[in-house]
Amino acid sequence: MDMTIAAMSVDLSMARTQQELGISVLKMAMAADTSVVEEALEAVESLDPALGNNIDILA
């Protein structure tokens, strides 16, 4: 019976470690997505708002 309790303890510890690793990877992915969105917003904000309003039909 002692081996069963020890095995269960090891299994629970491994499951907890795997869950913490999964959460860490998810947080890293979310941070990467956030930085990509911020860079895209900065690029859009730097565009000229008048760009594309006029068409040269005399060319």
Side-chain angles (χ1 to χ4, degrees):
M1 184 169 209
D2 288 333
M3 291 298 289
T4 304
I5 293 173
M8 287 175 51
S9 175
V10 169
D11 287 345
L12 286 173
S13 177
M14 287 175 55
R16 183 178 307 123
T17 302
Q18 288 175 345
Q19 183 179 22
E20 289 173 358
L21 176 64
I23 290 170
S24 296
V25 170
L26 181 60
K27 285 182 180 180
M28 288 172 44
M30 289 173 60
D33 286 345
T34 301
S35 65
V36 169
V37 170
E38 288 173 352
E39 289 175 8
L41 286 175
E42 288 175 4
V44 169
E45 289 173 353
S46 67
L47 294 176
D48 183 13
L51 186 65
N53 288 340
N54 299 322
I55 301 174
D56 184 7
I57 59 172
L58 299 176

